[in-house]
């Protein structure tokens, strides 16, 4: 690993790097669980739509948003972008040396909090989510 907050805070010993890999894997699982719930909700909403129209789909793409989650050595940053890459809303949460279970909880709770408190209630849920993680994956 080349420098940065992570090396300064935690070092780059094989044990630290191994733990970072484990935490990264757990973080990916947390995001996958969350995205699976969103996908299920979106599918159920589409199923209820009795007459899907092509124009309506194009309109959805224009209003679609995407969630980005960046877990670093000192903070977890969540941002929501539109199709053009413009950041619409964001929120920062503190992180630090966390166990795998703590990372999983941090991501799940932070994403839930973000969706509940940091964006307009009437805004549609993001259609996709990406994750950036500290360490090697």
């Amino acid at each position: 690993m080349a420098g940065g907050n992570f090396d300064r805070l935690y070092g780059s010993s094989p044990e630290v790097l191994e733990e970072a890999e484990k935490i990264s894997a757990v973080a990916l699982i947390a995001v996958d669980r969350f995205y699976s719930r969103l996908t299920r909700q979106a599918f159920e909403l589409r199923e209820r739509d009795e007459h899907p129209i092509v124009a309506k789909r194009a309109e959805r793409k224009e209003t679609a948003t995407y969630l980005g989650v960046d877990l670093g050595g000192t903070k977890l940053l969540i941002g929501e972008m539109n199709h053009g890459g413009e950041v619409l809303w964001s929120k920062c949460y503190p992180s630090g040396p966390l166990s795998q279970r703590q990372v999983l909880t941090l991501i799940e709770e932070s994403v839930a909090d973000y969706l509940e408190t940091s964006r307009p209630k009437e805004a549609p849920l993001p259609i996709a989510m990406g994750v950036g993680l500290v360490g090697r994956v």
Side-chain angles (χ1 to χ4, degrees):
M1 224 177 292
N5 283 339
F6 186 84
D7 283 351
R8 194 173 69 249
L9 291 170
Y10 309 109
S12 59
S13 71
E15 295 82 17
V16 167
L17 296 177
E18 183 179 333
E19 185 66 18
E21 287 176 0
K22 290 176 186 176
I23 289 171
S24 297
V26 170
L28 288 173
I29 291 168
V31 169
D32 182 60
R33 284 182 186 172
F34 181 79
Y35 185 66
S36 293
R37 281 191 295 242
L38 283 181
T39 303
R40 226 179 2 263
Q41 289 171 350
F43 179 77
E44 289 167 4
L45 289 173
R46 279 196 299 266
E47 287 296 303
R48 281 189 250 152
D49 190 5
E50 295 176 1
H51 304 288
I53 301 169
V54 174
K56 200 175 201 180
R57 289 185 188 149
E59 180 183 309
R60 285 181 188 153
K61 185 175 181 181
E62 289 297 317
T63 61
T65 62
Y66 309 87
L67 206 60
V69 178
D70 179 21
L71 177 62
T74 59
K75 69 180 181 287
L76 181 135
L77 181 61
I78 298 175
E80 192 167 346
M81 293 126 270
N82 63 17
H83 192 66
E86 175 188 4
V87 176
L88 304 172
W89 309 286
S90 64
K91 189 167 183 179
C92 186
Y93 299 86
S95 71
L98 302 170
S99 70
Q100 293 175 19
R101 188 168 306 280
Q102 289 169 322
V103 167
L104 182 63
T105 301
L106 174 66
I107 291 173
E108 287 179 336
E109 290 178 356
S110 298
V111 169
D113 175 74
Y114 169 82
L115 291 172
E116 188 66 31
T117 65
S118 299
R119 56 197 309 277
K121 299 282 185 222
E122 66 277 0
L125 288 173
I127 64 169
M129 181 170 22
V131 180
L133 300 168
V134 67
R136 296 181 290 170
V137 179

